[in-house]
């Protein structure tokens, strides 16, 4: 069945690639990317897989959620949960639980949005994906450039460049959604210096698809650009605030127990829309705020030498109920960072370019976890009322690096990156050590006997993780229009502070190592006036994989294999008709046995579709109108490590329309889920139940923009 489903997208892409030989030999379109290397690079000269979502596409999509825009990139699948919550995958399964934080690196203008040891599974929600110059997606490990957390991939959002004038837009959608966007800017290019300042704002108020849910999200961006002679300065300030009434998943085990009633089979419960609209967790919530600032300073010493220095700060705080766990505890966490990224770039001669630099980060963080419900003992686990964890962590990272580019001849260039990261955590436990209650008292079982509590708190300690990462790549220009590329790279994820200090009683303190992944990939990239395409094949192997198993227990030493292909193409058929497609086929498998966790060597990792793709047909019938038909395919996937439960996958179709009435007014409309498909935006199986977030039915969005 999987092979049958793959025929259409593969055949379509084959036709697109074959058209290379009939396209007129025109000059290639130059596309510059800033991610994946310490230097801005023509994408045709890059030695790894980078997808660029440009400003025009971002503007047309007007994303409210990360999945709206990122699922258009090859090999990217972001599952929408409830509200702004999401779980991403880049050349990986959908990763959940404690090990998911830090599997991917999210950045704005090349600066990580969160400190390396303080990642969050929902970190994409902080970024303003609807107002950006571009979004660059790097597939695969890139720690040799960016350090910790760049394990499976990197998403870098480029902040909106200031322009003179302004724009305001409003969009109305289902569930009483109102989305407002606004931008205002001014450019001063008189005198010896050029300056620009821009302000952008996005506010979303959503009533929620499930009962008693909804969110209000605000994102504010301020950017100032300055350029004079050899000096360029770009400063940005970004703010994010979220107030969310969260609805949890609908679990088949709750059927008829007061939350909902359904006659659907457990494995098809997601098709019962009445059930999917229920909220079994009406007390769940998430409150989240963040502010980030950075100043990029570049000084051109001479034609061959450049210095870059980027001081930054970040502050992040969050409070939410862990409604997905039996304790339903409230977690409060925050961290504050100061840091600087710096490098020196030297064009040694016509053949060799050198980049050396150092990144420094200091972060202070804290976490408290408190259970409100009474003590409970079930399935051999004692969860106590009161404080589970209360600790502070000071973190510091020092990371020198070097990059060498060698232009062997006119067609072939080699690039080597090496980086050393030293990360130290100073941990201070503020309540009783060990597996007792917060005051040192024992937990008890249902017979009143003293037992260890589930939660384990290490005594005060210092941990250091030293990691060396490398990347060696080559790019060969077959012609002006086609290049071949290949690379070997490794990546790492230093343990997150929650991995180290929020333990369970069966874990040993101080035994968690950095996750490490080794990757090899090769590809072809083409750029013509009317056709662009990219094809990549890869294989990765990961050690020290950290995840939570079906029984809610942490596994700290897993091993996994990942392999697949990623294909992307864009073809302008006529002057006003364009076809775009991407397709990914991947196998993500366990490479170890642990029967107690349901893991069997060779089993597929849960929530890892083998196939996924996106195709769009864009038609511009007049200079003022644009229409687009979009198809998104998600293949079937297993829901548990034992591969005993499965989700069938789904296909969704959307239609978008834009109409430029005059220079000031633009109207837009979207019909989502055209055929009213019954699907799950997320599906999994745990604690003996199927669990779903139901996909929304057919919906209409209407909006307007006014430029001034």
């Amino acid at each position: 069945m999987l092979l049958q489903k793959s025929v259409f997208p593969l055949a379509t892409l084959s036709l697109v690639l074959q058209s290379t030989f009939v396209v007129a030999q025109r000059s290639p379109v130059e596309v510059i990317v800033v991610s994946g290397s310490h230097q801005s690079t023509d994408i045709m000269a890059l030695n790894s897989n980078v997808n660029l979502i440009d400003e025009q596409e971002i503007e047309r999509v007007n994303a409210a959620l990360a999945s709206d825009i990122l699922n258009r990139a090859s090999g990217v699948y972001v599952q929408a949960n409830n509200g702004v919550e999401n779980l991403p995958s880049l050349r990986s399964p959908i990763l959940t639980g404690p090990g998911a934080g830090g599997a991917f690196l999210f950045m704005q203008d090349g600066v990580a949005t969160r400190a390396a040891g303080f990642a969050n599974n929902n970190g994409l929600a902080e970024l303003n994906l609807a107002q950006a110059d571009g979004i660059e997606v790097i597939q695969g490990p890139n720690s040799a450039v960016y350090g910790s957390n760049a394990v499976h991939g990197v998403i870098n959002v480029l902040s909106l460049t200031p322009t003179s004038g302004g724009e305001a837009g409003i969009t109305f959608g289902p569930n009483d959604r109102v989305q407002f966007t606004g931008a205002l800017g001014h450019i001063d290019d008189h005198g010896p210096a050029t300056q620009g300042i821009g302000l952008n704002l996005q506010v979303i108020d959503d009533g929620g698809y499930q009962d008693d849910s909804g969110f209000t999200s605000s994102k504010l961006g301020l950017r100032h650009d300055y350029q004079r002679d050899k000096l360029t300065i770009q400063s940005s300030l970004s703010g994010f605030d979220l107030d969310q009434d969260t609805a949890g998943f609908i679990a088949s085990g709750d059927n008829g127990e007061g939350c909902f009633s359904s006659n659907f089979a457990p494995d098809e419960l997601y098709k019962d829309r009445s059930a999917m609209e229920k909220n079994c967790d009406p007390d769940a919530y998430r409150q989240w705020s963040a502010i980030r600032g950075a100043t990029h300073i570049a000084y051109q010493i001479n034609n061959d030498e450049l210095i870059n220095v980027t001081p930054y700060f970040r502050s992040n705080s969050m409070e939410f109920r862990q409604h997905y766990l039996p304790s339903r505890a409230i977690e409060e966490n925050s961290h504050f960072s100061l840091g600087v990224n710096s490098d020196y770039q030297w064009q040694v001669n016509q053949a060799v370019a050198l980049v050396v630099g150092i990144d420094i980060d200091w972060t202070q963080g804290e976490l408290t976890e408190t259970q409100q419900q009474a003590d409970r003992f079930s399935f051999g686990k004692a969860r106590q009322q009161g404080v589970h964890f209360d600790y502070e962590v000071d973190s510091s990272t020092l990371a020198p690096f070097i990059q060498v580019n060698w232009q062997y001849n006119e067609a072939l260039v080699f690039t080597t990156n090496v980086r050393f990261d030293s990360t130290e955590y100073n941990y201070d436990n503020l309540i009783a050590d060990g597996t007792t209650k917060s005051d040192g008292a024992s937990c008890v079982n249902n017979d009143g006997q003293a037992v260890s509590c589930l939660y384990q708190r290490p005594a005060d300690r210092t941990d250091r993780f030293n990691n060396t990462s490398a990347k060696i790549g080559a790019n060969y220009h077959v012609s002006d229009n086609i290049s071949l590329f290949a690379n070997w790279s490794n990546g790492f994820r230093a343990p997150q502070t929650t991995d180290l200090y929020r333990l369970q009683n069966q874990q040993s303190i101080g035994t968690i190592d950095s996750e490490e992944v080794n990757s090899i990939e090769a590809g072809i990239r083409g750029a013509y006036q009317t056709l662009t395409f990219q094809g990549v094949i890869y294989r990765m192997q990961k050690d020290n994989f950290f995840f939570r198993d079906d029984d809610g227990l942490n596994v700290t030493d897993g091993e996994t294999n990942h392999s697949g292909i990623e294909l992307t193409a864009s073809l302008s058929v006529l002057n006003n008709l364009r076809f775009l497609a991407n397709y990914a086929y991947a196998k993500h498998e366990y490479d170890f046995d642990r029967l107690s966790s349901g893991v069997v060597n060779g089993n597929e990792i849960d929530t890892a579709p083998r196939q996924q793709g996106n195709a769009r047909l864009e038609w511009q019938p007049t200079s003022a109108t644009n229409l687009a038909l979009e198809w998104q395919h998600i293949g079937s996937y297993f829901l548990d490590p034992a591969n005993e439960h499965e989700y069938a996958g789904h296909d969704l179709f959307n239609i978008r329309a834009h109409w430029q009435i005059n220079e000031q007014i633009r109207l837009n409309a979207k019909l989502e889920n055209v055929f009213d498909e019954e699907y799950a935006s997320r599906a999994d199986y745990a604690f003996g139940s199927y669990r779903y977030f139901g996909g929304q039915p057919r919906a209409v969005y209407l909006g307007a923009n006014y430029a001034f």
Side-chain angles (χ1 to χ4, degrees):
M1 191 66 172
L2 289 172
L3 290 176
Q4 292 175 353
K5 289 184 178 180
S6 70
V7 170
F8 178 73
L10 283 174
T12 301
L13 189 67
S14 176
L15 289 173
V16 173
L17 295 182
Q18 289 172 21
S19 66
T20 300
F21 301 102
V22 298
V23 173
Q25 296 296 309
R26 300 171 183 170
S27 300
V29 178
E30 185 179 56
V31 177
I32 302 297
V33 293
V34 301
S35 298
S37 171
H38 291 292
Q39 298 171 299
S40 299
T41 308
D42 181 355
I43 197 168
M44 289 295 292
L46 211 60
N47 60 29
S48 58
N49 181 2
V50 174
N51 282 270
L52 172 64
I53 303 174
D54 62 27
E55 184 180 7
Q56 185 180 50
E57 189 172 358
I58 291 169
E59 184 179 274
R60 287 177 178 173
V61 173
N62 190 27
L65 304 176
S67 56
D68 295 340
I69 184 70
L70 293 177
N71 286 348
R72 292 173 162 232
S74 176
V76 178
Y77 178 33
V78 179
Q79 285 189 334
N81 296 346
N82 181 263
V84 304
E85 297 181 1
N86 63 83
L87 292 170
S89 67
L90 286 78
R91 201 172 280 184
S92 72
I94 295 287
L95 299 173
T96 62
F104 319 100
L105 183 62
F106 306 136
M107 303 189 302
Q108 180 177 324
D109 297 325
V111 178
T113 57
R114 299 177 69 91
F118 300 84
N120 185 274
N121 297 358
N122 300 287
L124 282 170
E126 294 181 1
L127 290 160
N128 190 344
L129 301 173
Q131 296 176 301
D133 268 359
I135 303 170
E136 296 177 347
V137 181
I138 308 172
Q139 299 281 22
N142 222 46
S143 291
V145 178
Y146 298 114
S148 184
N149 296 16
V151 176
H152 285 278
V154 177
I155 294 176
N156 184 27
V157 177
L158 309 178
S159 60
L160 199 61
T161 301
T163 57
S164 291
E167 185 176 71
I170 191 165
T171 302
F172 299 94
N175 309 313
D176 299 321
R177 177 185 291 181
V178 180
Q179 178 174 339
F180 171 81
T181 56
L184 185 65
H186 176 70
I187 301 295
D188 182 3
D189 56 3
H190 300 92
T194 299
Q195 297 188 67
I197 187 167
L199 176 71
N200 59 275
L201 172 69
Q202 182 199 55
V203 179
I204 303 174
D205 186 73
D206 191 300
Y209 174 56
Q210 295 173 252
D211 297 340
D212 302 315
S213 67
F215 68 89
T216 300
S217 165
S218 303
K219 298 175 183 178
L220 180 68
L222 178 65
R223 174 168 154 175
H224 178 262
D225 291 358
Y226 176 88
Q227 198 280 323
R228 179 171 181 175
D229 298 329
K230 299 179 179 181
L231 178 66
T232 301
I233 301 175
Q234 177 189 312
S235 299
S236 63
L237 184 67
S238 302
F240 167 70
D241 185 74
L242 173 71
D243 185 0
Q244 177 175 286
D245 292 323
T246 308
F249 44 70
I250 301 300
S252 60
D254 293 334
N255 187 6
E257 296 186 6
C259 178
F260 69 93
S261 179
S262 176
N263 295 322
F264 283 69
D267 62 342
E268 294 189 338
L269 182 59
Y270 64 88
K271 295 183 179 180
D272 187 340
R273 285 192 170 146
S274 176
M276 291 299 103
E277 292 178 359
K278 301 301 180 184
N279 181 4
C280 301
D281 299 284
D283 61 344
Y285 68 95
R286 187 181 296 269
Q287 295 176 342
W288 184 0
S289 62
I291 186 169
R292 302 182 302 275
T295 297
H296 301 260
I297 305 169
Y299 184 75
Q300 191 77 48
I301 300 173
N302 53 48
N303 291 336
D304 299 323
E305 296 175 274
L306 173 70
I307 290 179
N308 293 296
V309 180
T310 305
Y312 63 85
F313 78 91
R314 63 170 81 90
S315 180
N316 195 298
S317 63
M318 182 187 302
E319 178 182 326
F320 65 99
R321 183 179 296 280
Q322 299 173 340
H323 59 88
Y324 44 84
L325 296 177
S327 68
R328 305 183 64 80
I330 292 175
E331 178 181 328
E332 300 173 75
N333 66 69
S334 65
H335 71 276
F336 174 80
S337 302
L338 292 173
V340 60
N341 299 338
S342 59
D343 66 62
Y344 165 71
Q345 302 183 11
W346 178 27
Q347 187 69 44
V348 181
N349 53 44
Q350 289 185 341
V352 178
L354 177 69
V355 181
V356 294
I358 187 168
D359 295 344
I360 302 171
D361 185 280
W362 174 84
T363 298
Q364 184 177 57
E366 57 185 28
L367 181 144
T368 303
E369 181 179 303
T370 308
Q371 177 176 312
Q372 295 178 324
Q373 61 185 7
D375 292 3
R376 58 184 301 181
F377 183 86
S378 60
F379 300 101
K381 301 174 183 178
R383 298 177 172 87
Q384 73 272 23
Q385 185 180 43
V387 179
H388 297 164
F389 300 97
D390 187 1
Y391 62 78
E392 297 176 349
V393 182
D394 287 341
S395 168
S396 60
T397 298
L398 187 68
F401 58 84
I402 183 170
Q403 174 178 299
V404 179
N405 298 332
W406 177 32
Q407 188 80 44
Y408 178 74
N409 56 36
E410 290 185 359
L412 180 62
V413 61
F414 295 96
T415 303
T416 300
N417 295 82
V418 179
R419 179 181 172 113
F420 174 77
D421 285 70
S422 180
T423 300
E424 182 176 278
Y425 298 129
N426 290 302
Y427 157 80
D428 182 14
N429 179 35
L430 303 180
I431 53 178
D433 301 335
T435 57
T436 65
K437 295 185 176 183
S438 60
D439 59 1
S442 296
C443 285
V444 296
N445 61 20
N446 292 330
D447 296 327
Q449 299 172 324
V451 296
S452 295
C453 301
L454 173 63
Y455 310 103
Q456 179 177 189
R457 298 175 295 271
D460 297 355
R461 57 183 288 121
T462 297
D463 294 282
R464 178 180 291 275
F465 299 91
N466 295 326
N467 295 276
T468 301
S469 50
K471 182 175 183 179
I472 302 172
N475 184 289
Y476 180 73
H477 276 265
V478 179
S479 68
D480 288 342
N481 303 93
I482 297 177
S483 63
L484 305 176
F485 61 90
N487 72 75
W488 172 88
S489 62
N490 63 10
F492 73 93
R493 167 190 176 273
Q496 304 297 290
T497 54
T498 49
D499 300 347
L500 292 166
Y501 310 124
R502 187 165 63 180
L503 303 179
Q504 297 176 350
N505 57 21
Q506 90 286 358
Q507 291 180 259
S508 299
I509 297 171
T511 60
I512 302 175
D513 293 324
S514 297
E515 284 188 356
E516 296 181 355
V517 62
N518 290 293
S519 168
I520 186 168
E521 71 172 337
I524 182 172
R525 185 179 287 122
Y528 293 84
Q529 199 74 8
T530 58
L531 169 69
T532 62
F533 63 89
Q534 178 176 267
V536 180
I537 184 170
Y538 68 89
R539 181 170 178 81
M540 304 192 305
Q541 195 272 331
K542 184 161 70 169
D543 297 324
N544 302 321
F545 176 40
F546 189 107
F547 71 100
R548 177 172 286 147
D549 67 15
D550 265 0
D551 294 322
L553 299 175
N554 292 334
V555 178
T556 63
D557 57 354
E559 297 181 1
T560 59
N561 290 322
H562 313 263
S563 57
I565 59 174
E566 295 161 351
L567 306 170
T568 302
S570 171
L571 175 66
S572 297
V573 182
L574 302 170
N575 289 335
N576 63 348
L577 189 65
R578 187 167 69 136
F579 175 72
L580 306 97
N582 66 67
Y583 172 76
Y585 180 89
K587 291 186 68 175
H588 305 285
E589 299 175 324
Y590 294 107
D591 194 28
F592 72 109
D593 289 299
R594 179 156 303 177
L595 297 181
S596 61
S597 300
V599 174
V600 177
N601 194 330
N603 273 12
E604 294 189 34
I605 303 174
D606 51 287
T607 327
R610 280 200 181 186
Q611 298 188 79
Q612 59 193 74
N614 181 285
R616 304 188 301 281
L617 187 64
E618 297 181 352
W619 178 40
Q620 190 168 350
T622 72
S623 60
T625 56
N626 182 278
L627 301 173
L629 173 65
E630 177 184 21
W631 167 44
Q632 183 185 28
H633 171 72
I634 298 297
S636 62
Y637 54 85
F638 290 109
L639 304 180
D640 58 333
N643 291 180
E644 296 174 349
H645 305 86
E646 190 173 5
Y647 172 67
H650 58 259
D651 293 277
L652 300 177
F653 292 84
N654 305 314
I655 297 175
R656 301 176 189 273
H658 295 80
W659 180 24
Q660 190 77 42
I661 295 179
N662 53 41
E663 291 185 358
Q664 286 77 39
I665 300 175
R666 183 178 73 252
L667 304 180
N668 60 82
K670 178 177 70 169
L671 178 60
E672 194 172 77
N673 192 1
V674 174
F675 299 109
D676 207 23
E677 172 87 356
E678 294 170 338
Y679 72 101
S681 61
R682 170 161 175 75
D684 75 357
Y685 184 90
F687 303 107
S689 296
Y690 289 89
R691 309 190 303 183
Y692 299 107
F693 284 103
Q696 295 196 32
R698 183 189 298 118
V700 175
Y701 297 80
L702 299 173
N705 285 69
Y706 179 76
F708 55 91

